[in-house]
Amino acid sequence: MQAMIERGLSEEQRMMRDTIRGFVDDFVTPFMRKNWAKEWDMVPENRPSRELLEEAHKIGVRTLGIPEEFGGTPVDPATEVQTFAMVAEEISRGDSGLGDKLTQIWKISKLLQNIAPRHLQERWFPRIVEDPTFLLAHCLTEPRGASDRWLPYDVPEAMMHTRAVLKGDKWVLNGRKQFITNAYDAKLYVIYATTKPGAGMTQGTSSFLVPRDTPGLTIARCNETLGGRFMNNGEIVLEDCAVPKDHCLVENIALKRAGIYFRPGKIIVAAKNLGVGMAAFERTADYVQNYVQGGRILIKHQAVAIRLAEMATKLTAVRSLMNEAIRAVDSGAPDAEVLCVMVKMFASEEIFKVCQHAVELHGGNGIMLEFGIEKYLRDASLFLHRDATVDISRFKVVKAMFPHSAGIYAGPEQ
């Protein structure tokens, strides 16, 4: 499996990977093992680890995606999706919550680099670079509209309930966003809202840059999730939240312009998922070669060997599809979007099975919190529901393959 991981990486990427792997092995993983009980602290402020972010900042991994002129870590544009995926996998091998925190910075920074006015880039990128605890949030999901928005539908019934109205020199936002990565701790938000009711999502949705301290923006709650608990998923409320007119990033066609975030984003989600699976496999492979049951080490039992082989095969299949999607995105291939959806969907199901095998191969130890194996199964379970559920992803694949005959799935019943 190691040969496949290395295949296709440049010497610079391998050096970056070695640096990040050392960071994960020497700092992140020991931190997680030592602080396993901290994950269950129900006071959200007690879970985020400044130490982890500061260490990630020291090696430059936190500022990937930020333009070099503002102090960001440079990435070769020709292979940046491959680099982001490689780094996301390695970080999530240590902890998927930390992976979630960091990848939002990368993805949103790339989005802002492409759609934000120059003066906003000059204002915010240096602040992100200077502050190791600076987190970003991308706010799309709402209480009455989540995975279905990923299709998307151009029918009024599917438009966002969050509204933005231009009043003088201010955009005034009202609505609610939930299930938002980093929302509880972020200092800067990209928020989507309807600005042209009845036009359909792709023609009437705008995006806005909203600082945390903007009057009218309230952090309503932290969502207590099953896994990834070192990232505080949150819910925000907007009540007459006014931002300057120039803080509208894209008016009406924001979802079309956000492709630079969504396509690589799905690959990065799959890569984080793969990192969880690789950690589960590595821990399990070590365990079955050292733990004795029935007078012999576990791997010598055929049932154990079969499961280990299945885990390795699933991980390799996910990596193969992910690499194909990466090549498609980096080369601008016409099938890039559907491949990104496929790998996100495929990884979420296969990695969950890998982690289930890991728990079961550890026997009673597998379900002990302090042993740390059950964490991988919990973390893997989140990927079945993020960036669209598995079934919504299947609908999107069918729509891409058969655009003229696939169902609409929304709007008035016929």
Side-chain angles (χ1 to χ4, degrees):
M1 294 182 70
Q2 185 63 32
M4 186 173 188
I5 295 173
E6 298 285 349
R7 195 175 300 139
L9 297 181
S10 67
E11 187 60 33
E12 183 179 359
Q13 287 174 318
R14 291 183 185 188
M15 290 174 61
M16 181 183 292
R17 180 178 173 274
D18 289 344
T19 298
I20 296 167
R21 175 155 280 224
F23 162 62
V24 168
D25 289 344
D26 298 338
F27 193 86
V28 180
T29 299
F31 179 93
M32 292 299 158
R33 296 295 298 277
K34 180 181 178 181
N35 295 281
W36 66 268
K38 188 177 179 181
E39 189 177 8
W40 297 105
D41 193 324
M42 291 299 161
V43 179
E45 289 79 5
N46 293 342
R47 287 197 303 268
S49 171
R50 185 183 181 93
E51 307 100 291
L52 291 174
L53 291 173
E54 287 177 341
E55 288 296 319
H57 183 77
K58 288 178 184 177
I59 63 172
V61 70
R62 198 183 66 84
T63 53
L64 288 173
I66 296 176
E68 189 174 5
E69 64 175 304
F70 296 114
T73 304
V75 177
D76 183 355
T79 57
E80 67 179 9
V81 177
Q82 182 185 42
T83 299
F84 287 150
M86 173 195 69
V87 176
E89 178 187 341
E90 287 300 323
I91 294 292
S92 298
R93 194 175 62 84
D95 178 61
S96 68
L98 179 61
D100 291 336
K101 283 182 174 181
L102 296 177
T103 55
Q104 285 302 98
I105 300 175
W106 312 339
K107 293 190 293 181
I108 295 172
S109 293
K110 289 301 297 182
L111 181 67
L112 295 179
Q113 184 182 353
N114 281 270
I115 68 173
R118 177 72 185 183
H119 72 279
L120 291 180
Q121 294 188 38
E122 291 175 347
R123 177 183 178 187
W124 289 107
F125 280 142
R127 296 188 188 187
I128 299 169
V129 171
E130 291 166 5
D131 181 1
T133 66
F134 201 113
L135 298 176
L136 300 168
H138 190 260
C139 306
L140 190 67
T141 302
E142 297 180 341
R144 288 187 290 168
S147 288
D148 54 347
R149 297 263 168 79
W150 282 102
L151 284 167
Y153 317 110
D154 267 332
V155 294
E157 291 82 1
M159 294 191 75
M160 293 186 183
H161 298 285
T162 300
R163 297 285 191 265
V165 178
L166 184 61
K167 296 183 178 180
D169 61 350
K170 302 275 189 179
W171 282 98
V172 180
L173 284 70
N174 283 280
R176 181 181 291 262
K177 299 291 183 178
Q178 74 167 7
F179 301 152
I180 306 300
T181 299
N182 283 344
Y184 195 80
D185 304 309
K187 297 181 179 179
L188 188 63
Y189 301 81
V190 174
I191 297 177
Y192 290 78
T194 293
T195 46
K196 195 174 180 182
M201 286 188 64
T202 61
Q203 299 296 325
T205 304
S206 301
S207 56
F208 302 87
L209 196 61
V210 184
R212 182 187 182 93
D213 59 1
T214 304
L217 187 155
T218 303
I219 312 302
R221 59 172 292 182
C222 178
N223 298 311
E224 297 295 350
T225 55
L226 180 66
R229 293 182 55 80
F230 276 86
M231 180 278 294
N232 286 333
N233 189 291
E235 183 173 343
I236 66 171
V237 174
L238 303 158
E239 296 176 302
D240 293 330
C241 179
V243 296
K245 184 178 180 179
D246 65 0
H247 279 48
C248 179
L249 299 173
V250 179
E251 188 171 353
N252 293 331
I253 57 169
L255 292 179
K256 288 185 176 181
R257 293 287 304 279
I260 193 169
Y261 174 94
F262 292 139
R263 283 189 292 273
K266 290 197 180 299
I267 291 176
I268 290 173
V269 168
K272 289 187 292 184
N273 203 348
L274 183 58
V276 173
M278 287 299 299
F281 178 79
E282 290 169 1
R283 287 279 302 278
T284 304
D286 179 69
Y287 185 80
V288 300
Q289 292 178 83
N290 289 282
Y291 192 85
V292 175
Q293 186 77 37
R296 61 182 66 183
I297 58 174
L298 285 176
I299 198 171
K300 293 186 180 296
H301 294 276
Q302 287 184 328
V304 172
I306 289 171
R307 286 204 188 209
L308 200 65
E310 185 176 338
M311 293 168 72
T313 302
K314 289 180 183 297
L315 291 167
T316 301
V318 169
R319 188 178 302 282
S320 296
L321 183 54
M322 184 178 75
N323 287 341
E324 183 65 17
I326 288 170
R327 286 191 290 269
V329 172
D330 279 337
S331 66
D335 60 345
E337 184 165 350
V338 70
L339 284 170
C340 290
V341 177
M342 284 179 173
V343 70
K344 200 289 301 186
M345 174 187 71
F346 183 68
S348 65
E349 294 191 310
E350 296 306 300
I351 300 300
F352 186 78
K353 295 172 186 174
V354 166
C355 294
Q356 181 182 355
H357 282 318
V359 169
E360 293 177 1
L361 286 176
H362 279 80
N365 287 328
I367 56 173
M368 301 297 291
L369 293 180
E370 67 270 25
F371 206 80
I373 292 299
E374 50 74 40
K375 173 179 166 58
Y376 300 125
L377 185 63
R378 289 188 290 105
D379 289 351
S381 71
L382 267 64
F383 291 91
L384 295 163
H385 302 272
R386 60 178 12 165
D387 280 41
T389 62
V390 170
D391 283 343
I392 288 291
S393 297
R394 289 192 174 101
F395 290 156
K396 189 156 188 174
V397 169
V398 171
K399 279 179 69 71
M401 295 174 64
F402 308 104
H404 302 298
S405 56
I408 295 176
Y409 312 123
E413 289 190 35
Q414 302 297 322

